Amino acid sequence: MLSRRNVYAIWCTAAAFIAVALLGAGMAVLEQRAHALDSARSGAEQVAGAAEAALNRALIGVDALVIELPSLLAPAQAADGTLDAALARRILASAAGPNLLMRDLALIDADGHVLAAVRSAAPGAAAPLDPAFRRSALAHVPPSLLVSEPALDERSSERVLYLARAVTLGGGQSLLAVAELPLPLLGAVMAPAVEAGRYEVTLERDDGLLLDSVPQIEASIGHRLATALDPRTLSGRATTATRRLGAGAALVAARPLLYARLRVVVAAPADFALAPYRHEARTTLAATAALVMLTLAAAAAIQWQMTRLARARSDSHRDKATLDRALGAMADGFLLCDAEDRIVAWNERYLEMFPWLRPAVAAGVPFERLVEIAAQALYPVDPLGRQRGAYAEQRLRQHRSGYATREQELSGGIVIHSIERRTPDGGIVGVFRDITRSERELAAAKEAAEAANAAKSQFLATMSHEMRTPLNGVLGMNALLRRTPLNEAQREYAATIESCGQALLVLIDDILDLSKIEAGRMELESLAFDPLRLVQDSVAALRARSLEKGLTLELQAPAAAPSLLAGDVNRLRQVIFNLLGNAIKFTEQGCVTVALAFGAGADGRTEFRLEVVDTGIGIAPEVLPRLFERFSQADGSTARRFGGSGLGLAISRKLVELMGGTISVASELGVGSRFGLRVPLDVVDAAQRPPDAAAPWAPTADAATPLRILVAEDNEVNQLVIAAMLDHLGHEHVVVGDGVRALERARDEDWDCILMDAQMPQMDGEMAARAIRDLPGARGRVAIIALTANVMAQNLRAYDAAGMDDCVAKPVSHATLAAALARCCPRAAPAARGGADAVPARRAGGEHRSSR
């Protein structure tokens, strides 16, 4: 334990430090108080000087005007000395107008009657002046400007002061010129010099009568103040005295005005003067208290620390035992060697990993001895000792490097990962971990991730089916509705439904495409295609939209272009449509230019280069970095004005990157944008040219025989849609509601084609297709077309594996259905009955059953 002498020394030092801190704090507080008083005294003196100057300027302005009145009124005075009251009033009004302090200006005779005034009274009326004040002003020698006691103006109910001076007009007539000054205006003259709340300013007479004050105290105006002003204070120096407008001490500074008996007095109340001092004093005392507490805490901490160190010396053995227990609880092996490479500490886990070392491990044993034993255990059969020697040499070199990381495979498939580092004192610490368990956990995590990915794919397939199935009903029934006799308004409504449904279908496709890309399920095809024809078809498909907006759509193509390239033509067309569609959408006037070019890529392949340039609204520079992010548009107003989900460019960039290409943008707000596309593609021999898919399907001369078609569809709305389309195409059909009934009808009857939904109760489309393919003879070779909303890559492979011949994605249109039937059944006939607007006939003898 700590000795008494050491404890005494600690606390004596702390007490001395605290005494010095308290003394310093006291001196600081006194200095702060003196500084606050000096600051208040200086402020009061400055305010007094400023108020004096302001009041003198105001009074001199009035006095100068009054002195000039005899000369100003000369035109209004007749030769006999009489005064033209009307002309005199106009002269007075003109003279008093520029002076903002004066409310009124009047001439009064010796009897107190008004001769002329700006606004106070009519000529001949009695002036509102105290007679004694009037006589005093007229009798004052030499004439001087006198100030009356505060009076009440009955017209405005305001307190006013009257400033009077005796004047002599032509002919020796002695009159009294009187100016009326409202006290609020006079207070406004003094107010700018006053800092709010810190000073009180009073305008007094030498007998203590209060004429005006800031702040104005209505009850005290016109009364003599309780405390007489010491004449010694008129020097302008601030002295300690009683407040003029209240009780308590203050620093008071007074200055006389240029006019007799007037002085301005400034008082700085002690409460306000010492407010900064009190705040600083509290801060100083708080800091001193904190310092004292910190000193006491430091002394206590020093005593505690020294006591702890003393106790630690006596508990070293127990601490070592605790360390041993901690090492024993480690899941990893541990070995510590000193600077001479001798064993200092280890744990049981280390011996469990290397059981052959257990007999030799002890404190002080050289690490080299452990290496020799390990070599013998790892290489039990080595007559020449070469393997053991090579192992020992390599192991010692790694160990003594002080920075070794290695993996060692032991018997039984166990893999040990070891890390060895040099300690500051030159020793070596090693940590050994069995990573076999970690690999098992990693494998389990991988399986879980794969299961989650599979679940996500299943979810996407389900969502595709669940969203496309009702949409197929909406678009299909709307298409049938448009083929019926409609008036103009109904036809417009149906067109709106078609437009909205197609927009929703595009959004569904975009979301599913983005989900497939993020899940790593997007697979690209490699088909031969004509690049020039691809761009020409894309431009032609969107030309009508550009014409509707009055835009010019131009295509610039090179004279020589590769006849065939290999790539995913459908995905490339999707990107081109997106870029070109955006350019048209965001351009109000001008033109959209598509420039096609080809060049040599870095890998020796041909680079497909496309630029789309528009004269549209442009893109702000701060928006460009996030333009290709999901659900991103230039701003909220753009989204409201032009619409869109913000997925098109994000999907386009992902698709182009999957193709190994790049997509770029350059834009100027209000000028237009330039999107660039570069994709490396392989050149294909012209002999591999694909059939012209863009050419419309047309039946052959003998393709007039209607087909007998079996439809397997469980959704009632879709049953109606498909049946109506087949009616319009002129084919005989039967509709069943599940795969079991489809298999039964396929086994018992002959059909030209079977339209098979993928998801149905009891037996789905794939199972039904496999069962039909197992039927003997021609009935097992009937054409089967998948009619489904599940059109992801893995679904298409499954349909092909099940033996289906083709696939038509929902929502289904007349054109896609007719084209699929033409591909699978050459006898398929085009729409042959009723014309484009005919009502579909009811199917004869068909089943119409649903399990939902």
Side-chain angles (χ1 to χ4, degrees):
M1 297 298 292
L2 195 63
S3 66
R4 183 175 298 178
R5 180 178 179 180
N6 290 336
V7 174
Y8 179 77
I10 292 172
W11 289 106
C12 283
T13 304
F17 186 82
I18 291 173
V20 172
L22 293 176
L23 179 61
M27 295 178 64
V29 169
L30 293 177
E31 184 178 353
Q32 291 164 357
R33 187 177 188 279
H35 176 73
L37 291 175
D38 289 343
S39 177
R41 183 177 293 105
S42 175
E45 293 172 356
Q46 293 177 4
V47 171
E52 176 202 9
L55 288 171
N56 279 333
R57 285 194 300 270
L59 295 177
I60 289 173
V62 175
D63 198 14
L65 176 60
V66 171
I67 292 173
E68 292 292 327
L69 282 181
S71 60
L72 294 176
L73 292 172
Q77 191 173 14
D80 59 355
T82 59
L83 190 67
D84 184 347
L87 179 57
R89 182 181 181 278
R90 289 195 297 273
I91 293 173
L92 293 177
S94 175
N99 194 317
L100 300 180
L101 287 179
M102 284 193 296
R103 179 69 59 80
D104 196 6
L105 181 62
L107 282 177
I108 301 173
D109 61 13
D111 296 329
H113 296 101
V114 177
L115 300 180
V118 175
R119 60 181 291 271
S120 60
L129 285 180
D130 180 66
F133 173 73
R134 173 171 48 81
R135 289 191 295 271
S136 175
L138 284 170
H140 198 280
V141 180
S144 178
L145 187 70
L146 299 184
V147 180
S148 72
E149 295 183 3
L152 182 65
D153 186 349
E154 295 181 354
R155 292 163 302 171
S156 63
S157 300
E158 288 183 331
R159 293 291 189 97
V160 298
L161 290 178
Y162 294 106
L163 279 64
R165 171 187 276 273
V167 296
T168 302
L169 298 183
Q173 185 180 5
S174 180
L175 300 175
L176 190 65
V178 181
E180 179 183 303
L181 273 67
L183 289 186
L185 297 180
L186 190 61
V189 173
M190 299 184 292
V194 182
E195 184 177 349
R198 293 196 61 186
Y199 301 101
E200 300 170 348
V201 182
T202 58
L203 176 63
E204 308 175 15
R205 282 196 330 205
D206 56 358
D207 58 357
L209 181 68
L210 180 63
L211 302 179
D212 199 3
S213 66
V214 177
Q216 192 176 73
I217 300 177
E218 185 69 22
S220 300
I221 301 297
H223 298 278
R224 286 181 172 82
L225 298 176
T227 304
L229 186 66
D230 189 346
R232 291 175 298 177
T233 60
L234 293 178
S235 63
R237 303 288 296 177
T239 60
T240 303
T242 304
R243 291 175 60 180
R244 307 301 293 160
L245 298 178
L251 293 173
V252 178
R255 300 180 70 93
L257 300 184
L258 295 176
Y259 295 90
R261 303 188 67 187
L262 298 181
R263 65 279 315 274
V264 62
V265 183
V266 176
D271 291 341
F272 291 102
L274 294 177
Y277 149 74
R278 293 191 182 97
H279 175 72
E280 294 176 357
R282 285 194 296 268
T283 303
T284 302
L285 294 177
T288 304
L291 183 60
V292 170
M293 296 299 296
L294 183 61
T295 302
L296 295 175
I302 292 173
Q303 180 181 347
W304 174 80
Q305 182 66 15
M306 294 182 67
T307 302
R308 181 175 175 272
L309 291 175
R311 185 182 297 112
R313 295 188 187 98
S314 63
D315 294 343
S316 60
H317 179 71
R318 184 175 59 190
D319 292 344
K320 184 178 183 303
T322 302
L323 177 61
D324 292 340
R325 288 195 298 272
L327 293 177
M330 288 178 59
D332 297 333
F334 176 84
L335 181 68
L336 176 63
C337 299
D338 59 17
E340 297 180 358
D341 212 12
R342 295 180 180 273
I343 296 176
V344 175
W346 66 95
N347 65 354
E348 181 62 24
R349 181 60 179 155
Y350 177 75
L351 298 179
E352 292 175 357
M353 291 180 178
F354 308 104
W356 50 82
L357 299 178
R358 186 180 295 274
V361 172
V365 173
F367 181 77
E368 187 174 354
R369 174 61 181 156
L370 300 185
V371 174
E372 294 175 357
I373 297 174
Q376 294 176 2
L378 294 175
Y379 302 100
V381 180
D382 186 15
L384 300 178
R386 293 178 180 175
Q387 291 179 318
R388 296 174 184 172
Y391 169 79
E393 181 181 356
Q394 181 184 15
R395 182 69 183 91
L396 287 173
R397 183 172 61 253
Q398 292 174 340
H399 173 76
R400 290 168 180 170
S401 68
Y403 196 87
T405 301
R406 61 192 296 270
E407 290 184 1
Q408 180 180 4
E409 184 174 357
L410 306 179
S411 60
I414 297 176
V415 179
I416 303 298
H417 178 79
S418 62
I419 300 176
E420 293 177 308
R421 297 291 184 269
R422 190 170 298 280
T423 61
D425 61 354
I428 300 292
V429 62
V431 177
F432 305 84
R433 173 170 296 179
D434 182 358
I435 63 174
T436 312
R437 181 188 306 172
S438 301
E439 291 179 351
R440 296 194 188 100
E441 294 175 352
L442 182 61
K446 180 181 179 183
E447 293 178 359
E450 291 176 348
N453 194 26
K456 181 176 182 179
S457 299
Q458 181 60 37
F459 173 77
L460 292 177
T462 303
M463 285 299 98
S464 174
H465 180 272
E466 295 301 325
M467 288 188 290
R468 288 174 182 271
T469 296
L471 188 58
N472 178 63
V474 172
L475 293 179
M477 296 301 291
N478 187 67
L480 297 176
L481 176 64
R482 296 177 68 183
R483 293 178 180 273
T484 63
L486 301 174
N487 60 36
E488 196 63 31
Q490 292 170 335
R491 190 170 301 279
E492 182 178 350
Y493 299 156
T496 302
I497 295 174
E498 176 72 19
S499 175
C500 294
Q502 292 297 334
L504 180 58
L505 180 60
V506 171
L507 179 60
I508 293 172
D509 289 339
D510 284 347
I511 294 175
L512 293 176
D513 281 347
L514 185 63
S515 301
K516 286 188 287 185
I517 291 173
E518 291 184 343
R521 310 289 296 186
M522 178 63 73
E523 298 181 4
L524 300 178
E525 297 179 331
S526 182
L527 301 174
F529 69 96
D530 184 341
L532 180 57
R533 180 62 179 273
L534 169 65
V535 178
Q536 289 173 339
D537 290 347
S538 301
V539 172
L542 294 173
R543 188 174 300 279
R545 190 189 305 178
S546 66
L547 292 176
E548 290 176 0
K549 299 186 68 174
L551 303 177
T552 301
L553 181 58
E554 299 179 354
L555 172 60
Q556 299 175 358
S563 59
L564 285 181
L565 295 176
D568 195 326
V569 61
N570 292 322
R571 294 301 181 183
L572 193 56
R573 180 185 293 108
Q574 179 180 348
V575 174
I576 296 173
F577 262 79
N578 184 269
L579 296 181
L580 188 53
N582 280 351
I584 296 173
K585 179 167 69 172
F586 294 110
T587 302
E588 295 294 338
Q589 59 184 359
C591 66
V592 176
T593 303
V594 181
L596 175 64
F598 301 91
D603 55 357
R605 304 163 70 189
T606 296
E607 193 170 66
F608 177 89
R609 300 172 182 174
L610 187 75
E611 281 193 347
V612 179
V613 183
D614 64 65
T615 58
I617 61 175
I619 305 167
E622 63 273 12
V623 177
L624 286 176
R626 66 174 189 272
L627 186 63
F628 292 97
E629 296 178 1
R630 294 172 297 170
F631 307 104
S632 175
Q633 287 188 335
D635 55 35
S637 61
T638 300
R640 291 190 297 270
R641 181 180 178 189
F642 296 101
S645 64
L647 289 176
L649 288 178
I651 295 173
S652 297
R653 184 183 68 173
K654 293 290 186 180
L655 290 175
V656 171
E657 290 175 351
L658 287 175
M659 298 178 191
T662 59
I663 188 170
S664 60
V665 59
S667 182
E668 183 176 351
L669 196 62
V671 176
S673 303
R674 177 187 298 269
F675 283 84
L677 174 66
R678 290 172 176 257
V679 179
L681 300 170
D682 293 320
V683 177
V684 180
D685 193 313
Q688 302 180 27
R689 175 179 294 275
D692 190 357
W697 172 81
T700 58
D702 59 351
T705 304
L707 301 178
R708 192 165 186 269
I709 300 174
L710 174 64
V711 180
E713 170 63 58
D714 65 325
N715 185 275
E716 294 180 355
V717 176
N718 288 336
Q719 289 176 354
L720 292 174
V721 171
I722 299 303
M725 288 184 178
L726 293 177
D727 281 338
H728 186 269
L729 293 173
H731 299 304
E732 179 185 352
H733 54 83
V734 173
V735 180
V736 296
D738 55 58
V740 174
R741 297 301 305 276
L743 177 60
E744 293 175 354
R745 299 298 293 263
R747 183 179 55 242
D748 298 338
E749 302 176 44
D750 293 326
W751 305 94
D752 296 306
C753 182
I754 299 177
L755 300 180
M756 185 77 71
D757 187 18
Q759 292 187 359
M760 293 183 293
Q762 300 187 47
M763 179 182 290
D764 61 27
E766 293 179 30
M767 295 177 60
R770 287 189 176 93
I772 292 173
R773 289 296 180 232
D774 292 337
L775 295 177
R779 292 179 179 176
R781 296 190 299 274
V782 64
I784 303 177
I785 300 176
L787 194 66
T788 177
N790 296 338
V791 290
M792 299 180 71
Q794 62 269 28
N795 301 126
L796 298 179
R797 289 194 295 268
Y799 303 151
D800 185 66
M804 299 188 187
D805 300 285
D806 206 337
C807 178
V808 176
K810 295 178 181 177
V812 183
S813 67
H814 283 76
T816 57
L817 182 59
L821 292 173
R823 288 192 299 268
C824 298
C825 305
R827 295 171 50 239
R833 291 189 289 165
D837 295 325
V839 178
R842 294 182 57 84
R843 58 190 179 280
E847 293 189 18
H848 187 174
R849 183 175 303 171
S850 174
S851 62
R852 292 188 179 180

